[in-house]
Amino acid sequence: MTGRFAPSPTGRMHIGNIYSALLSWLSAKGQGGEWILRIEDLDPQRSRREYALQIEDDLRWLGLQWDRGGTADSADGVKYMQSCRTDIYAHYLNELESKGVTYPCYCTRADILAAVQAASGAPHESDGRIIYPGTCRPSTKGEAKMEQETIAQGEIQKKKSTSGNSSGKASTRLIVPDRTIHFIDRHYGPQAVNLATHCGDFVLRRADGAWAYQLAVVVDDALMGVTEVVRGRDLLLSSAQQIYLYELLGFPAPSFAHLPLLINEQGQRLSKRDRSLDMQHLRSLYTPEQLIGIIAHAAHLIDRPEPISLSELLSLFSWSSIPTADILVRP
């Protein structure tokens, strides 16, 4: 089997990133598998190579050595930084366009919010996510394919003259059916997600040309042979979108195992804004074994937050020990 850790190089890693890295490493190595490091630098404004190098240095400091990937040129010729894989994403986007399952969308975020607020009973989720209301969606697949062809020829005009998108550039959305995707999460059990009501048509490529996470992660995991995805439960819902993309592209989907989030006293997920918990600060306070012990205790893998080596922890790792409720972490 093959697991992976796929951080975004937008700043120094914090304890939540290390927690995800550690548990994905333990799961992969506990099954005798390999562990890939992929750098998800899709955001050109926020991603920095120096942050990617810091990620690698922090992982090495902890002893979490990857089998493939990272910033260096790989022996297998595969690029493991997403910024180097744009031609690959373009190929698979073209494949989806040829199937007539995508369409150009000229809506800005403000357009979408206004449309949702104006619509009675507009689809939305309790966590604040807005489901795209389908403003630019074509009525048929044939119309979608025709619009994509005219975009390629540079002839299409904005679909709505009232749109706030003055640039006239379109994002590309995937048409999703009114269909429920069923899958079993290794940690949270059976899941059922309706694509139309819980996800909606989602973006594959942004209007500024940047590749969207959903397309890139599916293509990369498939081509890199990833068979297990371990990540935070905030991405649980997106598994359904990705499973549908795997199906459309003819790839087998990996298994999914989502983790409870590390949260602060306000119930908010830890982020890179929590400087007291970033790796620069943590490395000044703890040895690798001490920090691993703190995370292992938070994940209920050991009884006390005491130093422990990776090899010792590997023999103790069990998915059944990890809680499903989010985990409070104090600075």
Side-chain angles (χ1 to χ4, degrees):
M1 64 81 60
T2 300
R4 51 83 159 169
F5 177 54
S8 298
T10 57
R12 194 68 180 263
M13 287 199 296
H14 59 83
I15 196 168
N17 302 126
I18 294 301
Y19 156 79
S20 293
L22 175 62
L23 294 186
S24 67
W25 184 90
L26 289 168
S27 185
K29 293 302 176 181
Q31 299 173 75
E34 64 175 355
W35 192 61
I36 293 174
L37 173 62
R38 183 171 68 240
I39 304 298
E40 297 198 337
D41 54 344
L42 287 175
D43 188 335
Q45 278 73 47
R46 299 174 60 220
S47 298
R48 299 286 184 273
R49 183 175 178 84
E50 56 264 34
Y51 294 149
L53 295 174
Q54 282 183 337
I55 287 170
E56 292 181 323
D57 185 65
D58 287 334
L59 292 175
R60 290 192 186 100
W61 179 79
L62 284 161
L64 296 174
Q65 183 58 51
W66 51 98
D67 298 292
R68 287 190 279 136
T71 59
D73 291 338
S74 60
D76 57 10
V78 176
K79 301 293 186 182
Y80 290 89
M81 296 185 69
Q82 289 185 326
S83 59
C84 299
R85 298 175 61 81
T86 57
D87 290 345
I88 298 172
Y89 306 143
H91 169 81
Y92 286 100
L93 179 60
N94 288 339
E95 184 174 323
L96 292 169
E97 290 172 349
S98 71
K99 296 176 184 289
V101 295
T102 67
Y103 62 92
C105 175
Y106 295 95
C107 297
T108 64
R109 181 171 178 80
D111 292 333
I112 296 169
L113 289 172
V116 167
Q117 289 169 359
S120 174
H124 65 280
E125 287 293 314
S126 59
D127 61 5
R129 288 180 301 103
I130 300 298
I131 307 303
Y132 180 64
T135 307
C136 292
R137 187 181 196 179
S139 58
T140 66
K141 285 188 177 181
E143 182 184 339
K145 186 173 182 180
M146 183 170 61
E147 289 198 8
Q148 290 296 351
E149 289 171 351
T150 54
I151 277 184
Q153 297 165 7
E155 298 171 0
I156 199 163
Q157 300 297 318
K158 284 189 301 179
K159 204 170 184 183
K160 290 180 67 68
S161 60
T162 57
S163 171
N165 184 352
S166 59
S167 70
K169 294 181 179 178
S171 61
T172 301
R173 286 188 183 271
L174 181 73
I175 298 171
V176 301
D178 184 4
R179 172 182 160 193
T180 299
I181 299 291
H182 297 270
F183 65 98
I184 297 176
D185 184 81
R186 185 169 184 176
H187 193 50
Y188 286 96
Q191 305 292 318
V193 179
N194 183 276
L195 292 171
T197 59
H198 288 77
C199 301
D201 296 350
F202 56 91
V203 171
L204 300 176
R205 193 174 195 181
R206 297 184 341 205
D208 63 3
W211 295 101
Y213 169 78
Q214 303 293 7
L215 177 64
V217 73
V218 165
V219 169
D220 287 346
D221 281 344
L223 297 184
M224 293 175 186
V226 172
T227 57
E228 180 185 76
V229 173
V230 176
R231 59 192 181 189
R233 68 159 185 83
D234 54 318
L235 292 171
L236 180 59
L237 183 66
S238 69
S239 301
Q241 296 165 277
Q242 291 160 23
I243 289 169
Y244 184 57
L245 268 176
Y246 280 112
E247 179 183 308
L248 287 175
L249 292 171
F251 293 130
S255 65
F256 293 95
H258 289 81
L259 301 168
L261 303 180
L262 300 189
I263 58 174
N264 60 23
E265 290 181 336
Q266 290 72 47
Q268 300 166 326
R269 183 183 62 170
L270 299 181
S271 72
K272 291 173 182 176
R273 293 186 296 272
D274 297 294
R275 298 298 184 188
S276 63
L277 293 172
D278 76 15
M279 283 301 291
Q280 180 176 358
H281 183 67
L282 293 171
R283 284 177 64 164
S284 72
L285 296 178
Y286 305 111
T287 66
E289 291 77 14
Q290 287 174 325
L291 184 54
I292 290 168
I294 290 169
I295 296 171
H297 176 253
H300 295 196
L301 296 176
I302 57 177
D303 295 331
R304 294 180 298 277
E306 57 190 14
I308 188 170
S309 69
L310 284 174
S311 59
E312 291 173 312
L313 185 57
L314 187 59
S315 66
L316 299 174
F317 177 74
S318 169
W319 277 102
S320 62
S321 298
I322 301 170
T324 55
D326 290 342
I327 300 167
L328 174 64
V329 175
R330 294 182 175 87

